[in-house]
Amino acid sequence: MTLPKVLTIAGSDSGGGAGIQADLKTFQELDTYGLSVITAITAQNTVGVQAVHPVSLNGLNDQLESVFTDIKVDAVKTGMLVSADYIQSISTYIRDYNVNKLVIDPVLGSTSGSELTKNEAIDELKNSLWPLATVVTPNLIEAARMLGWASINTVSEMEKAVYQLHEWGAKSILLKGGHLPGGESVDLLYDGHTLTHFPMKRIDQPHTHGTGCTLASAIAAGLAKGNSIHDAVSMAKDFVTCAIREGFSIGEGSGPLNHSAYRHRQ
Ligand SMILES: Nc1ncnc2c1ncn2[C@@H]1O[C@H](COP(=O)(O)OP(=O)(O)OP(=O)(O)O)[C@@H](O)[C@H]1O
Ligand SMILES: Cc1ncc(COP(=O)(O)O)c(N)n1
């Protein structure tokens, strides 16, 4: 018996809702084998990020070397990438080991406002890692920041943005509409040929910490299992929607999703 192997390269969230912890829970729920390379340790809870401790560049490279020299991973998902030199290193391994299923969640900051990837790293992300991606999954704030726009507030602005982001060389872009004003959360997938809308009635739920990490990890798991980009995204949307519906409180602030909700769905 064997399982598809999915690697997350991301930060640790001590509160367990986002980052590496959300990624590994998602991989497990989707019957894949999860591996992790940790870029940073965040001291974090439901209220916010209290501290960020990046692992050393040597520490990052040692983990990448250990995984890639021994294990043939089927897909990789990236999250918090810290800084330009970390992104350079990660891109080299992705290229040298011919990873052809790569999901980039371009995490720039936490919802609570802490910087998780340095602003100066955006150019490196665009130039070295982005062109290797199967899917990149920015939210509206990340997309606007990377494009140098003030904001993205409507579906027609989202359409313009997704076309422009696709020009940077990724196979496809999934622009997430979780932060769209109004009663719908629409995500747009563009693969260079077809634009697909994934509309979803907004779930009235304060406990949504880690939705972006969970969605990107579910896409990576779907790709690792051999699904097309469209089918992997569609399954991942169902996965995250079930998990958001059953989000729950564990502290004073925004709680996590229930990663087992998809498994228990009717
Ligand atoms: N309240 C909601 N109801 C339904 N779907 C939602 C809701 N909030 C987010 N989503 C969905 O969850 C996924 C993540 O979207 P979002 O835009 O929130 O990403 P993000 O900002 O990166 O997530 P995070 O909250 O982890 O930072 C998308 O598929 C989005 O449509
Ligand atoms: C380690 C880590 N990675 C990613 C996020 C983004 O998740 P969110 O936007 O839900 O705070 C986070 N808070 N922490």
Side-chain angles (χ1 to χ4, degrees):
M1 143 90 208
T2 184
L3 291 173
K5 298 175 286 299
V6 195
L7 168 67
T8 170
I9 305 175
S12 164
D13 169 5
S14 53
I20 290 280
Q21 288 77 5
D23 300 345
L24 291 175
K25 289 171 196 177
T26 303
F27 298 155
Q28 182 71 24
E29 288 295 330
L30 290 170
D31 297 321
T32 57
Y33 179 80
L35 301 97
S36 59
V37 163
I38 297 182
T39 56
I41 294 166
T42 71
Q44 187 172 173
N45 55 27
T46 63
V47 180
V49 178
Q50 288 77 46
V52 174
H53 301 278
V55 305
S56 66
L57 189 56
N58 277 342
L60 175 79
N61 284 330
D62 284 348
Q63 295 174 78
L64 290 166
E65 182 73 10
S66 293
V67 170
F68 281 110
T69 53
D70 182 41
I71 302 161
K72 173 84 187 90
V73 297
D74 296 291
V76 174
K77 176 254 165 180
T78 67
M80 171 182 182
L81 295 178
V82 181
S83 59
D85 44 356
Y86 286 46
I87 295 172
Q88 240 169 40
S89 231
I90 292 161
S91 305
T92 303
Y93 276 91
I94 299 283
R95 223 179 300 109
D96 289 356
Y97 285 89
N98 299 313
V99 172
N100 57 16
K101 292 173 181 174
L102 170 65
V103 181
I104 301 177
D105 181 13
V107 173
L108 301 179
S110 68
T111 305
S112 55
S114 299
E115 185 181 68
L116 298 178
T117 301
K118 289 201 173 88
N119 222 4
E120 312 86 84
I122 291 177
D123 277 347
E124 187 65 39
L125 178 65
K126 258 168 75 173
N127 296 330
S128 65
L129 201 55
W130 198 284
L132 306 175
T134 314
V135 191
V136 189
T137 65
N139 66 22
L140 297 185
I141 298 144
E142 290 151 355
R145 220 163 111 192
M146 288 184 291
L147 288 166
W149 298 3
S151 61
I152 299 172
N153 296 306
T154 63
V155 175
S156 83
E157 286 170 358
M158 283 179 75
E159 288 172 359
K160 275 190 209 116
V162 83
Y163 292 135
Q164 286 207 18
L165 292 169
H166 189 264
E167 286 171 12
W168 299 350
K171 247 194 203 132
S172 63
I173 306 289
L174 180 72
L175 181 54
K176 300 173 292 190
H179 300 268
L180 206 56
E184 268 211 334
S185 172
V186 187
D187 295 1
L188 299 187
L189 175 67
Y190 183 58
D191 63 4
H193 303 284
T194 309
L195 179 68
T196 310
H197 291 63
F198 290 90
M200 178 57 60
K201 192 171 174 303
R202 187 174 301 286
I203 302 161
D204 186 13
Q205 172 60 274
H207 305 300
T208 57
H209 179 52
T211 51
C213 306
T214 300
L215 179 74
S217 295
I219 298 171
L223 294 174
K225 290 162 113 173
N227 293 306
S228 67
I229 295 173
H230 184 280
D231 289 354
V233 168
S234 184
M235 178 278 292
K237 280 290 296 171
D238 289 345
F239 185 93
V240 79
T241 302
C242 290
I244 292 171
R245 264 196 203 112
E246 293 191 12
F248 58 106
S249 174
I250 56 166
E252 295 293 314
S254 178
L257 314 182
N258 179 359
H259 288 89
S260 69
Y262 180 78
R263 178 160 42 98
H264 295 130
R265 74 194 181 285
Q266 299 305 323

